[in-house]
Amino acid sequence: MLNFTKTFLTDESGATAIEYGLIAALVSVAAIATLEALGTSLTNIFGVAQSSLNKAATSAGGSS
């Protein structure tokens, strides 16, 4: 029983797993924030492109 207690107290594999989990969570949060900011930027860029194409089509006699 004493040997099991010593082994249990010196085992750090659980702490390592928790550290890897925290790193994965941090990377996920950073990726979500980056993609969210990029998504907003892309929405704006495509909105400008759509507006320009609609103006060009209207001036060429097409329908928007």
Side-chain angles (χ1 to χ4, degrees):
M1 184 70 176
L2 183 61
N3 191 20
F4 172 75
T5 305
K6 283 182 184 179
T7 304
F8 179 75
L9 292 176
T10 58
D11 184 17
E12 294 184 4
S13 62
T16 303
I18 290 172
E19 289 169 356
Y20 283 129
L22 289 172
I23 291 169
L26 181 62
V27 168
S28 298
V29 168
I32 289 170
T34 301
L35 290 173
E36 185 175 310
L38 183 62
T40 303
S41 177
L42 286 175
T43 301
N44 292 338
I45 290 169
F46 283 119
V48 169
Q50 179 184 13
S51 176
S52 296
L53 289 172
N54 285 338
K55 287 179 187 176
T58 301
S59 67
S63 61
S64 55

